[in-house]
Amino acid sequence: MKKTLTGLLLVLTLLSGIVMPGVAVFAEEETPVSKSALEITPSGARLKLAPGDILEGKADHCPSGEDGCSINVKNIGSAAIHFRVYMSPYAVSGENNDLSFSEEAATAHTQLSRWITVKNPEGEYVKEAIYSAEPNQSINIPFRVEVPQDIPGGSQYAVIWAQILNDGEGGGIETVGQIGAVITGRSTENSVETAEISEFDFQKFSFGGPLTAQATVKNTGNVDFAAKYYYTARTLFGKELYKQEDFIAAYADTTYHINVEWEETPFLGIFQVEWKVVAADSEQIQTAVVVIMPVIVIVVVVLLLTVIIIWIIIIIRKSKERKARKLA
């Protein structure tokens, strides 16, 4: 089962690449795809957050690379456009890693959006800025992060949005679509990466059909991590029959249920299964012999055993009768 939407990498992927109005998840209104479209790179950035630190340019805790703490927004449409750059929380909640970008959903782990400012065309760091871009023009937009002295421990999440603006009727401004770069940070102070694994088990006997395994992972720390799981079935001689491995992006204070299902199992078989879950500082692994025995096979085996037993009884009785006649 994949909840990677989570997965953290999967979540980042959803926000990456090209967003075209009328097609993108965040589009608000349809316009011709060839006219207005933006591309943003990188799709995400990871920062180290130290109390009182100011991250800008190529500061030590900014992303490594030529651009450091900045994003690039490119107009890949056919017309000149205006776009707005602003920040919002990146809030993840629930077992399915549901996303929210509203201030109402803000938590102790989404304060990063309040610490970020972007450089406007006049060279000033502000909470939001308006840019203009010709077709195929790419604009580098530096951002700055001012980390407070009392930064909460653990992970922080925010989004820097680039939102296309169109001149509406009557001189108003209409928003067309937007694309975001996810900014994640981890505090250098009081970061705890711990987990609990419970309800760890897998099916060891089946009359036929899929085999299942399950586990529950609770993130008991204050940072995100990938909870990895592995299900492997082998013959008694070690030949691999089936393997499934994946991960779940596990966020702080959230519990996740992992369920694996081996659907196309053999009709009949005896083999070894290894079930393993690794989450932060916790790991559980178990290996056991698993049997698939359909009811029809069990019935045939019981009938055969019954016939064999009756045959043996008959042979023993005849042997006793022969011995009795010889003694007489």
Side-chain angles (χ1 to χ4, degrees):
M1 183 192 75
K2 298 183 179 179
K3 293 182 179 178
T4 2
L5 310 166
T6 225
L8 178 60
L9 299 178
L10 296 179
V11 171
L12 294 179
T13 302
L14 289 175
L15 295 173
S16 67
I18 299 173
V19 168
M20 295 186 175
V23 177
V25 174
F26 306 113
E28 297 175 4
E29 151 180 348
E30 290 190 4
T31 59
V33 169
S34 61
K35 186 177 180 180
S36 302
L38 286 178
E39 181 181 70
I40 191 168
T41 55
S43 59
R46 297 188 71 89
L47 313 172
K48 290 183 180 179
L49 305 175
D53 205 357
I54 296 179
L55 282 65
E56 62 179 304
K58 297 182 180 179
D60 289 342
H61 290 170
C62 281
S64 59
E66 182 179 347
D67 295 328
C69 281
S70 68
I71 59 172
N72 287 283
V73 179
K74 184 177 181 180
N75 178 2
I76 60 173
S78 61
I81 60 172
H82 302 290
F83 63 91
R84 179 171 73 110
V85 177
Y86 70 101
M87 282 65 66
S88 80
Y90 180 89
V92 184
S93 62
E95 183 176 3
N96 294 320
N97 288 342
D98 299 317
L99 295 178
S100 177
F101 309 109
S102 69
E103 287 292 340
E104 289 74 14
T107 69
H109 295 289
T110 63
Q111 301 304 302
L112 179 58
S113 63
R114 302 176 181 178
W115 309 336
I116 300 177
T117 52
V118 293
K119 185 178 286 188
N120 65 15
E122 291 74 37
E124 304 169 323
Y125 279 102
V126 293
K127 292 303 293 182
E128 66 174 68
I130 305 295
Y131 293 84
S132 299
E134 296 296 325
N136 208 40
Q137 181 182 1
S138 181
I139 299 177
N140 181 262
I141 304 173
F143 64 85
R144 178 167 65 187
V145 182
E146 298 184 36
V147 186
Q149 290 288 347
D150 59 346
I151 176 177
S155 294
Q156 289 288 328
Y157 314 98
V159 184
I160 301 179
W161 296 101
Q163 183 182 65
I164 301 172
L165 303 175
N166 270 6
D167 294 332
E169 296 181 1
I173 299 294
E174 298 178 347
T175 59
V176 178
Q178 60 185 4
I179 183 172
V182 180
I183 310 298
T184 63
R186 179 171 293 195
S187 172
T188 58
E189 307 291 325
N190 303 317
S191 289
V192 180
E193 188 171 317
T194 57
E196 293 179 358
I197 301 174
S198 60
E199 300 176 349
F200 180 86
D201 197 12
F202 63 96
Q203 193 173 356
K204 301 175 181 63
F205 179 84
S206 172
F207 290 111
L211 290 174
T212 60
Q214 59 276 332
T216 297
V217 173
K218 181 179 181 181
N219 186 338
T220 56
N222 56 18
V223 299
D224 59 85
F225 57 80
K228 301 177 182 179
Y229 56 92
Y230 313 83
Y231 183 95
T232 308
R234 298 182 177 87
T235 66
L236 297 179
F237 301 101
K239 180 181 178 181
E240 189 175 288
L241 297 173
Y242 177 80
K243 185 173 186 178
Q244 181 178 341
E245 57 182 67
D246 210 331
F247 73 92
I248 291 175
Y251 288 83
D253 304 319
T254 306
T255 299
Y256 300 85
H257 295 90
I258 299 174
N259 295 287
V260 171
E261 186 174 275
W262 179 13
E263 295 182 354
E264 298 180 0
T265 55
F267 175 75
L268 173 69
I270 300 176
F271 35 83
Q272 284 191 334
V273 167
E274 180 181 272
W275 174 226
K276 179 180 179 181
V277 176
V278 180
D281 61 337
S282 299
E283 177 179 324
Q284 287 206 34
I285 182 171
Q286 184 179 354
T287 302
V289 173
V290 174
V291 177
I292 298 178
M293 185 73 69
V295 174
I296 185 64
V297 175
I298 295 175
V299 171
V300 171
V301 170
V302 170
L303 290 175
L304 287 175
L305 288 175
T306 302
V307 170
I308 292 172
I309 292 172
I310 293 173
W311 181 67
I312 292 174
I313 292 173
I314 292 173
I315 291 176
I316 293 174
R317 284 182 177 178
K318 287 184 176 180
S319 177
K320 288 182 177 179
E321 290 175 356
R322 285 196 296 268
K323 289 181 180 180
R325 285 197 296 268
K326 289 180 181 179
L327 291 175

